[in-house]
Amino acid sequence: MSYKNYPMVSRIVFGRGSLNQLSDIIEPKRLNTKAPFIFLVDDVFQGNSWLTSRIPTAYDDTIIFISANEEPKTSQVDELVEQIILSHKDRPSGIIGIGGGTILDLAKAVSIMLTNEGEAKDYQGWDLVKTPAIYHVGIPTISGTGAEVSRTTVLTGPEKKLGINSDYTPFDQVILDPELTKDVPKDQWFYTGMDCYIHCIESLNGTFLNAFSQTYGEKAYDLCKEIFLDNNLSEEESQDKLMMASWHGGMSIAYSQVGVAHAMSYGLSYLLGTKHGIGNCIVFDHLKEFYPEGVKLFKQMKKRHNISLPQGICANLEDYQFDIMIDVALGLVPLWENAIGKHWNQVITREKLKALYQKM
Ligand code: NAD
Ligand code: ZN
């Protein structure tokens, strides 16, 4: 048995308003005046000077606004890399992602693909990246995914939805400024926050559980209960705590795995383009046989915040479409091993998954 030796985010700043320090943090990393910093920014902030005026551009530094309406694709990563190479003579000094999981994952992937040959799809999998990425910084503006701390960047490619899991994926620097999350719409706050809650449930109830994952997972779980159920936090406390819950939830799954909700939600995402946060909620709502306590609390949280999830998204699907989702879900073997155990395929049959999808 050999234990995994994981890299972590090397530097981290936490605090409301810490975005103001961005220039001081990145300037020492500038390679030369021609090697720009490239800022990949969620286009929800385009024209929002409260945020954009604090993005410190000098020399050839460039801001690229990107829509988070669709989750990142390998082809999108390749296009961004090409755009950056064509418009700058020198290799960039760094990539800075400002946004939610979608933008953070793009920033990680672009920083890897600027130093590695071929296409992003060639690196979907585990430990396929050969050359270290360029310096990359993550600045989350919505909390829950744990993408700010994780060793993966989830991409949809021509054949699969799978992360680039590598030692070069984690950010070199993260800035956690909870104030940046203040304008997240309520529903989205809930969906992305529940991603964190579901990470905890799947990690804490998985067969891979160990003291490392458990300690992070329990902390994140308690924070989620405080934020989404107890309801006696100020807005600011709630923002601060959800940002830390996301971090701890991400740390928890680093040394274990996610489970049934994520496996099935990947199927929805691949076929229907359902986004991660809401997709996890749609699936998790129907998983009481796997996570009875977790689902019970989830339903209470949903009620407390008046969230109504889409119903019947699989109602008019054809058999071949169910098959596509089932193939994607069943392909995620480590998730099932974690959720059910070594002999998971005696429990998780195609019929079982189809019956579950049909409820959604
Ligand atoms: P997101 O980045 O897709 O953003 C969701 C919505 O919130 C978008 O419309 C965005 O514009 C908006 N938004 C973000 N910040 C805002 C702000 N401050 N104010 C107003 N609106 C704001 O959401 P997400 O749930 O954080 O990320 C989902 C993505 O993360 C998926 O692509 C998923 O695959 C990925 N993910 C990655 C990991 C990982 O470890 N790498 C883990 C989980 C999920
Ligand atoms: Zn997730």
Side-chain angles (χ1 to χ4, degrees):
M1 160 96 195
S2 101
Y3 295 99
K4 302 248 163 66
N5 182 12
Y6 283 142
M8 284 181 53
V9 171
S10 1
R11 282 178 175 269
I12 164 105
V13 175
F14 176 85
R16 304 182 74 83
S18 56
L19 177 65
N20 296 338
Q21 288 166 233
L22 182 54
S23 170
D24 294 343
I25 290 167
I26 62 176
E27 212 44 53
K29 300 288 180 184
R30 191 182 289 282
L31 299 172
N32 65 60
T33 57
K34 292 219 183 71
F37 285 108
I38 310 290
F39 299 89
L40 305 182
V41 183
D42 190 320
D43 71 359
V44 76
F45 297 112
Q46 199 157 11
N48 175 341
S49 64
W50 177 77
L51 187 122
T52 56
S53 66
R54 295 187 285 162
I55 300 175
T57 48
Y59 309 106
D60 290 333
D61 297 349
T62 306
I63 300 180
I64 304 177
F65 287 104
I66 300 173
S67 163
N69 287 342
E70 287 181 12
E71 297 193 340
K73 295 192 180 58
T74 55
S75 58
Q76 186 185 11
V77 173
D78 296 332
E79 282 159 26
L80 278 165
V81 169
E82 179 164 297
Q83 180 186 346
I84 292 167
I85 291 174
L86 290 179
S87 51
H88 301 277
K89 265 216 190 92
D90 290 42
R91 180 181 278 179
S93 296
I95 304 291
I96 294 112
I98 306 180
T102 298
I103 306 295
L104 297 180
D105 275 359
L106 279 171
K108 291 178 180 179
V110 166
S111 73
I112 289 170
M113 293 312 299
L114 278 164
T115 57
N116 286 275
E117 286 181 357
E119 297 172 74
K121 69 174 169 56
D122 306 335
Y123 297 92
Q124 287 179 284
W126 282 269
D127 302 303
L128 302 172
V129 180
K130 299 284 177 309
T131 316
I134 65 169
Y135 177 71
H136 49 301
V137 180
I139 309 180
T141 65
I142 178 170
S143 300
T145 64
E148 66 280 10
V149 70
S150 76
R151 187 181 174 271
T152 187
T153 162
V154 184
L155 303 174
T156 302
E159 282 147 31
K160 55 199 168 197
K161 179 173 172 180
L162 184 61
I164 301 180
N165 298 265
S166 87
D167 282 353
Y168 306 117
T169 309
F171 286 112
D172 299 296
Q173 169 83 57
V174 167
I175 298 181
L176 295 181
D177 181 346
E179 201 178 24
L180 300 181
T181 65
K182 69 181 174 60
D183 296 322
V184 171
K186 167 101 187 273
D187 283 8
Q188 190 63 53
W189 165 80
F190 186 83
Y191 301 145
T192 300
M194 284 301 112
D195 191 21
C196 174
Y197 174 72
I198 295 169
H199 291 159
C200 298
I201 299 297
E202 293 184 326
S203 171
L204 292 171
N205 293 285
T207 61
F208 294 179
L209 191 65
N210 53 71
F212 184 101
S213 298
Q214 186 175 6
T215 43
Y216 282 109
E218 282 173 351
K219 187 71 218 176
Y221 175 79
D222 289 345
L223 287 167
C224 285
K225 280 205 299 194
E226 249 188 282
I227 297 158
F228 292 101
L229 270 185
D230 298 349
N231 238 13
N232 40 30
L233 298 176
S234 71
E235 287 254 306
E236 296 190 351
E237 283 172 328
S238 167
Q239 292 159 5
D240 292 6
K241 290 191 175 196
L242 188 52
M243 200 161 257
M244 287 320 298
S246 174
W247 183 273
H248 282 76
M251 286 299 296
S252 178
I253 47 176
Y255 231 90
S256 63
Q257 247 311 341
V258 284
V260 183
H262 276 75
M264 295 195 71
S265 153
Y266 270 41
L268 288 181
S269 159
Y270 191 81
L271 182 76
L272 304 172
T274 314
K275 295 197 69 187
H276 190 77
I278 192 169
N280 281 350
C281 288
I282 293 171
V283 175
F284 195 67
D285 213 20
H286 297 283
L287 296 186
K288 72 168 186 286
E289 66 172 291
F290 300 101
Y291 307 111
E293 266 308 301
V295 172
K296 195 170 126 203
L297 274 196
F298 171 79
K299 288 184 187 289
Q300 288 173 18
M301 294 174 181
K302 229 176 37 166
K303 195 163 168 213
R304 166 142 301 166
H305 297 286
N306 266 321
I307 304 290
S308 48
L309 293 172
Q311 306 290 324
I313 62 168
C314 296
N316 299 314
L317 296 182
E318 314 250 355
D319 280 348
Y320 82 92
Q321 292 176 302
F322 282 108
D323 281 333
I324 293 173
M325 293 195 293
I326 293 166
D327 287 338
V328 171
L330 289 178
L332 296 160
V333 172
L335 283 63
W336 295 108
E337 274 186 14
N338 177 46
I340 315 284
K342 274 243 166 319
H343 304 291
W344 61 272
N345 47 15
Q346 294 168 3
V347 185
I348 303 300
T349 58
R350 299 188 73 90
E351 297 69 43
K352 170 104 206 152
L353 292 189
K354 185 168 183 183
L356 279 167
Y357 276 128
Q358 279 170 331
K359 291 191 199 164
M360 298 175 192

